[in-house]
Amino acid sequence: MNRTQPLVLGIESSCDETGVGLVRGTTLLANTVSSSMDEHVRFGGVIPEIASRAHLDAFVPTLEQALADAGVTLDEVDAIAVTSGPGLAGALMVGVCAAKALAVATGKPLFAINHLVAHVGVGLLDDRGTGRRQELPENLGALLVSGGHTEILRINSITSDVELLGSTIDDAAGEAYDKVARILGLGYPGGPAIDKMARSGNPKSIRFPRGLTQPKYMGTADEPGPHRYDWSFSGLKTAVARCVEQFEARGEEIPVADIAAAFQEAVVDVISSKAVLACREQGIKDVLLGGGVAANSRLRELTGQRCASAGIRLHVPPLDLCTDNGAMVAALGAQLVMAGAEPSGIGFAPDSSMPVTSVSLPA
């Protein structure tokens, strides 16, 4: 197996995207994604059974397209990497079983990796084809914001040492967007709908709560509170619902754009402020923004402003690499191969609640 510039096939199926990517070292060769989002729209959220069946239908065509885009064959692949968690149990099972079948059929080593850490690994990719090996900066943090996760991490080693500094204690940010969009009648997925609507609204028209920012939760730098770097969005969602009910009770027209803008400002304000606080207090000088909600225009803007003011460099991958994809899985797999990590084998089971501190599953 080539451990200096390994050709790695990555498979992602943790939610509603079937992703297959191919990476050689740190050079992106192909990133093919098939989404089943349209099948979930009428339900207002991802239905696990529908997502799993969609993965079954999409996997082989997506694999074939990725190989064609990269101009390689399965025989040329050095290793296979697959998301083993966290995610929807049934959806994970489809990708893991497909990866195991490919590993057995081709004799290639298989790495079971963490979906969240893969969002960080994608920051190593060089999609310009220079072939230069990328290196993660020292004192690196990662802010992951998606429909299922909102977390701030310290990356001591991309292959072996990831530390969780803070996370949401209830809803993830993307989940809150979907629920509020439903309340406002904006449909699913909520993130793009609210982001678009908010541009014509006044974010200062309503002051929605910023969860876990009270002194009893924050504490001080010397005596941190129990949730200094954590988030909570369930109370914000409830506040939006009560606000809408009050307009309805008075017989007034609901100012959807203003509510969307005020809600979005509350989300991105508390995410960016706590992330920057964690980075400053933990000596983190570079932070990677990843996850589906990283596509949100206001989150990118405000986080960028606050990082710049704090002397922190913000790194944001291209939009198509922020959302779930196979390239990020292949990228982390390649890092594991280059670091000399042992393959996971085929005896592992997917773990829907796999902790972010577990980069990959051991043999």
Side-chain angles (χ1 to χ4, degrees):
M1 178 170 53
N2 183 348
R3 286 194 177 271
T4 57
Q5 289 289 315
L7 176 60
V8 178
L9 172 73
I11 298 169
E12 156 63 27
S13 70
S14 65
C15 191
D16 60 342
E17 282 101 1
T18 307
V20 178
L22 283 145
V23 168
R24 189 186 302 277
T26 58
T27 301
L28 175 61
L29 302 181
N31 182 35
T32 306
V33 178
S34 174
S35 174
S36 62
M37 182 179 295
D38 290 345
E39 299 180 45
H40 305 282
V41 168
R42 69 181 186 275
F43 300 104
V46 176
I47 305 301
E49 177 66 17
I50 292 176
S52 300
R53 291 179 181 274
H55 288 309
L56 282 170
D57 293 337
F59 179 73
V60 171
T62 306
L63 172 65
E64 291 174 341
Q65 185 62 55
L67 290 169
D69 290 346
V72 301
T73 65
L74 279 175
D75 286 341
E76 296 175 72
V77 169
D78 291 305
I80 299 169
V82 63
T83 294
S84 57
L88 301 175
L92 289 169
M93 184 67 74
V94 176
V96 166
C97 287
K100 288 181 178 181
L102 284 175
V104 170
T106 62
K108 308 296 183 181
L110 178 60
F111 293 83
I113 69 167
N114 191 300
H115 170 88
L116 299 177
V117 184
H119 273 298
V120 182
V122 78
L124 284 164
L125 284 179
D126 168 31
D127 60 359
R128 296 176 298 280
T130 63
R132 292 193 302 269
R133 180 165 178 172
Q134 307 294 298
E135 299 291 344
L136 286 176
E138 294 183 0
N139 302 319
L140 175 68
L143 174 59
L144 304 183
V145 190
S146 70
H149 304 277
T150 305
E151 299 176 327
I152 182 75
L153 313 173
R154 186 211 302 275
I155 312 300
N156 298 310
S157 167
I158 188 66
T159 58
S160 62
D161 189 358
V162 175
E163 180 183 354
L164 177 65
L165 299 178
S167 66
T168 177
I169 65 170
D170 42 55
D171 290 353
E175 185 180 3
Y177 267 89
D178 288 339
K179 291 178 178 178
V180 167
R182 191 179 307 134
I183 293 170
L184 297 177
L186 296 178
Y188 175 84
I194 288 180
D195 194 12
K196 181 179 180 180
M197 180 63 67
R199 292 169 192 163
S200 59
N202 178 8
K204 297 181 180 179
S205 60
I206 304 167
R207 174 72 182 184
F208 285 126
R210 275 66 167 164
L212 300 183
T213 57
Q214 300 93 330
K216 65 179 179 179
Y217 298 122
M218 295 293 293
T220 65
D222 294 330
E223 295 185 15
H227 296 293
R228 188 166 180 80
Y229 304 146
D230 293 333
W231 296 278
S232 170
F233 300 107
S234 63
L236 172 59
K237 171 201 66 182
T238 302
V240 173
R242 296 294 172 265
C243 177
V244 170
E245 289 172 0
Q246 288 168 8
F247 278 102
E248 290 175 337
R250 294 193 297 264
E252 299 176 7
E253 183 179 352
I254 299 171
V256 175
D258 286 347
I259 293 175
F263 161 77
Q264 177 162 275
E265 195 66 18
V267 173
V268 301
D269 179 23
V270 73
I271 287 178
S272 58
S273 63
K274 285 206 168 195
V276 169
L277 175 67
C279 290
R280 291 178 62 182
E281 293 184 349
Q282 298 296 321
I284 292 171
K285 300 299 184 182
D286 291 80
V287 65
L288 175 79
L289 178 62
V293 184
N296 181 273
S297 62
R298 182 56 178 154
L299 178 62
R300 294 161 75 96
E301 177 186 29
L302 187 57
T303 305
Q305 291 171 354
R306 288 180 167 170
C307 282
S309 297
I312 299 167
R313 290 177 292 270
L314 179 65
H315 306 267
V316 186
L319 290 181
D320 61 337
L321 295 179
C322 288
T323 53
D324 296 348
N325 61 84
M328 69 184 198
V329 179
L332 181 55
Q335 291 296 315
L336 288 166
V337 173
M338 290 187 288
E342 289 298 316
S344 304
I346 61 170
F348 68 92
D351 182 356
S352 60
S353 57
M354 187 175 181
V356 71
T357 51
S358 177
V359 177
S360 63
L361 296 179

